[in-house]
Amino acid sequence: MLSGGHLPDEPGKCRLSVETLIVAIGAFIGTNIDDIFMDTLLFSETRTKGETYSVVIGKYVGMAVLTSVSLLAAWGLSLIPQQYIRYLGLIPIILGVKAFIDGMRRGEEDEGKETSKSANLMMNAALITVANGADNLGVYIPLFAGSGLWEMVKVICVFAVMVAVWCFFAKKLSELPLLRRFICRYKKIIIPIVYCLLGIYMLFQ
C-alpha cells in the first residue's frame, strides 16, 4: 500500500520510491491489459505518422480524463455515480454502429481525407479509453485516496510513461504482417463487432 496520510510526503522529496513505482505500474497494467487489443485495432488503421500520433494523443486524453475523474472522486467529488458507470458501454456501441455505417458508405474511395481520419482516430482512441475505464476508476480512486500529494504526482508520472509503453507495444503488434493483413482485409466487420461486443460486455458485467 502507499503511505497515504500515515507517512506524509516531504515536499522536498520528489524521488520515486520503488514501492510507489511497483504499485503504479501494477495498477496501470491490471486496468489496461484489456485495452491492448483495442489499441492494436486502432493502430492497425494508421498509415502515416500523423495518424499514429493521433491515436497516441487520443490515448493520453482518455487516460487524463480517467485520472482526473479518479482524483476528484478521491477528494470526495463523484462526477459519475457508481450505478451509472456501466452506461459508458454505450460509447463503444455507438462507435461500432458508426464504424459499420461509415464502412458501408465509404467503400474504397476515401483516400484524400487524412485530416478527418486523424481526428476520428484521436476521438475514437480517447472515447474507447474512457468508455473502457470502469475498472480504472475502481482501482485509481482508492489508490489516490490513500496517497499524499507527492505520491499522486509520482503515480501520474508513471501512468504517463506507461501510456507511451502501451502505445509502443500496441503499435508493434499492429505491424505484425499476418495480423495487419487480416485486420485490413476484414476491418469493416471486425472493428464494429469488437466495439459493440465491448459495449455490451460493459453494460452487463
Side-chain angles (χ1 to χ4, degrees):
M1 286 195 53
L2 297 183
S3 56
H6 301 293
L7 292 172
D9 291 316
E10 296 173 30
K13 255 192 193 175
C14 300
R15 195 178 74 248
L16 183 62
S17 70
V18 174
E19 183 188 6
T20 305
L21 180 66
I22 292 171
V23 171
I25 291 175
F28 184 92
I29 292 175
T31 54
N32 289 279
I33 197 74
D34 53 342
D35 282 9
I36 197 75
F37 182 63
M38 302 302 299
D39 296 339
T40 302
L41 271 182
L42 286 165
F43 279 114
S44 72
E45 293 193 78
T46 62
R47 293 289 177 277
T48 65
K49 280 189 177 179
E51 290 171 359
T52 298
Y53 291 145
S54 294
V55 175
V56 174
I57 292 167
K59 186 75 181 169
Y60 270 103
V61 170
M63 276 300 296
V65 170
L66 291 174
T67 304
S68 300
V69 170
S70 300
L71 282 169
L72 290 171
W75 291 330
L77 300 171
S78 184
L79 295 183
I80 308 175
Q82 193 169 359
Q83 65 268 33
Y84 296 126
I85 287 177
R86 65 178 178 175
Y87 291 111
L88 289 172
L90 292 171
I91 295 174
I93 291 175
I94 292 167
L95 291 178
V97 172
K98 180 179 179 295
F100 178 75
I101 293 170
D102 287 349
M104 296 291 288
R105 186 187 300 153
R106 199 165 38 223
E108 314 265 341
E109 50 155 272
D110 73 338
E111 273 191 37
K113 297 185 180 176
E114 274 139 64
T115 307
S116 128
K117 186 180 176 186
S118 291
N120 282 337
L121 285 170
M122 188 187 303
M123 181 188 72
N124 285 0
L127 289 175
I128 288 292
T129 301
V130 171
N132 200 24
D135 54 343
N136 299 62
L137 297 177
V139 172
Y140 299 167
I141 291 169
L143 177 64
F144 288 132
S147 303
L149 176 61
W150 279 115
E151 279 183 329
M152 289 182 186
V153 172
K154 294 168 190 175
V155 169
I156 291 169
C157 290
V158 171
F159 284 178
V161 173
M162 288 301 295
V163 170
V165 172
W166 230 236
C167 288
F168 173 80
F169 280 121
K171 178 64 176 170
K172 289 299 177 187
L173 279 173
S174 75
E175 290 172 349
L176 293 174
L178 280 176
L179 182 61
R180 190 173 185 94
R181 274 202 300 273
F182 178 79
I183 292 174
C184 287
R185 181 174 297 178
Y186 299 109
K187 69 179 181 180
K188 290 178 189 174
I189 301 169
I190 293 172
I191 291 173
I193 287 176
V194 170
Y195 281 8
C196 289
L197 286 177
L198 172 65
I200 291 166
Y201 169 74
M202 289 172 58
L203 285 172
F204 293 102
Q205 69 176 337

